Amino acid sequence: MNHQRIMIVTGANSGMGLATTIALAKEGCKVIMVCRSRERGATAYQGALKQSGSSDIELMHGDLGSLESTRTFARAFKAKYSHLDGLINNAGVVAIKRQTTEDGFEVQLGVNHLGHFLLTRLLLDELQRAPQGRVVVVSSGAHKVGSIYWDDPFFTQGYSFWKGYAQSKLANILFTKELARRLQGTRVTVNSLHPGAVGTSLGVNRKTGFGKSILAFLGLFFLTPEEGAQTALYLATSEEVAGISGEYFYKKKIAPVSAKAQDAQQARLLWEWSEQQVGL
């Protein structure tokens, strides 16, 4: 009997997350869509079933901006499934104005890094039970201008959305590098990627719709979500990368990262700090 791969995609209700879900389902994977909004998730779920032609898609609620919700999702997953073949950490937020998660974290670092940090840690046993578990972290070229602002990581003074976003994307790569180091000698790999400039609804204000016209204009120059999802799909499923871990990919090829993203000491410090923040 063939082993059916079980994949989790976070932020699966739109953009690249939805495109990734549909593509994985078409490849015969069982896909768990993790969505924060039950309503938007339900709409996306129906669309994914229809577009993929697969009935092997499941919608589960999980909000990476809440440690409690992230833990609840992980418990619900573990109660149903004994292993996990792929975790695609795709959910991401851009916050033009400073916002915080329910745990008091600045929202970009809170969702883009800390929520995924906790989720990945909670599911490591299931990943290790798969024939070859894979963690795929959607980062960004924005990491190159990023720093970890140790004195004030949550920008309680002088918030800049760009600094916050770049910090969160640098954190994604440092997390990838440190997790890969800790998983050496196991069957689990972890890699990060830059999807390219993808036209998604990341910066659109959900309440007012502010940013939609800008998005429509920029869409002329951007990749579609389907194009943007290609590297994540490649890292989640291709035999070519089965033995590769701790790398950063762009257009399905290993790409260079900033000097800060290669700093092993910063990666360790961030790991320890993250553990304290999420209560591990």
Side-chain angles (χ1 to χ4, degrees):
M1 191 181 141
N2 279 346
H3 170 83
Q4 187 188 30
R5 288 178 291 188
I6 299 171
M7 302 281 189
I8 288 175
V9 182
T10 69
N13 61 284
S14 66
M16 280 193 313
L18 183 54
T20 303
T21 297
I22 292 163
L24 287 170
K26 280 181 177 171
E27 285 197 23
C29 300
K30 165 94 193 181
V31 189
I32 315 294
M33 299 174 72
V34 184
C35 300
R36 181 183 71 154
S37 157
R38 292 175 200 274
E39 191 187 346
R40 282 196 301 273
T43 306
Y45 170 69
Q46 292 303 330
L49 289 174
K50 200 168 157 186
Q51 289 181 61
S52 66
S54 164
S55 56
D56 259 344
I57 302 174
E58 185 178 345
L59 175 64
M60 292 178 79
H61 178 257
D63 180 0
L64 289 152
S66 158
L67 298 178
E68 189 186 352
S69 176
T70 303
R71 286 195 161 92
T72 301
F73 164 75
R75 275 195 300 271
F77 177 82
K78 288 164 179 273
K80 286 187 83 167
Y81 300 99
S82 63
H83 74 274
L84 175 62
D85 297 86
L87 172 60
I88 293 108
N89 287 333
N90 163 81
V93 294
V94 173
I96 307 298
K97 289 184 181 149
R98 186 179 185 273
Q99 298 168 36
T100 54
T101 67
E102 69 174 44
D103 303 286
F105 307 143
E106 183 274 316
V107 73
Q108 297 180 115
L109 194 59
V111 172
N112 301 354
H113 168 60
L114 288 168
H116 282 120
F117 176 85
L118 176 62
L119 180 64
T120 307
R121 291 287 303 275
L122 294 174
L123 295 174
L124 277 180
D125 287 348
E126 284 67 31
L127 284 157
Q128 303 212 38
R129 284 194 208 109
Q132 204 245 307
R134 299 187 187 191
V135 180
V136 178
V137 180
V138 179
S139 179
S140 161
H143 86 270
K144 292 181 178 175
V145 295
S147 298
I148 304 296
Y149 295 90
W150 292 112
D151 294 343
D152 188 17
F154 298 137
F155 298 102
T156 55
Q157 263 99 41
Y159 177 73
S160 149
F161 91 86
W162 184 242
K163 273 187 183 174
Y165 184 69
Q167 171 178 254
S168 75
K169 292 293 142 181
L170 172 60
N172 287 157
I173 298 178
L174 291 170
F175 166 58
T176 299
K177 300 263 185 205
E178 180 64 11
L179 181 58
R181 187 182 74 78
R182 288 167 182 256
L183 289 171
Q184 274 170 4
T186 72
R187 292 192 301 243
V188 182
T189 62
V190 51
N191 292 290
S192 61
L193 68 118
H194 171 47
V198 182
T200 68
S201 55
L202 218 63
V204 177
N205 183 310
R206 286 171 179 176
K207 291 192 181 74
T208 63
F210 173 77
K212 271 192 180 152
S213 55
I214 303 167
L215 189 69
F217 171 69
L218 291 174
L220 300 171
F221 312 103
F222 277 166
L223 301 172
T224 64
E226 289 72 24
E227 291 164 336
Q230 289 306 308
T231 300
L233 286 166
Y234 174 72
L235 291 176
T237 61
S238 174
E239 282 305 309
E240 289 174 20
V241 289
I244 298 175
S245 193
E247 295 291 353
Y248 171 76
F249 283 75
Y250 175 49
K251 292 185 175 171
K252 303 185 185 176
K253 290 189 170 59
I254 294 173
V257 294
S258 70
K260 285 176 181 170
Q262 297 173 54
D263 188 327
Q265 191 190 356
Q266 289 273 309
R268 270 196 293 275
L269 279 172
L270 180 69
W271 183 280
E272 287 159 12
W273 176 84
S274 303
E275 281 187 327
Q276 289 165 355
Q277 296 300 317
V278 304
L280 281 175

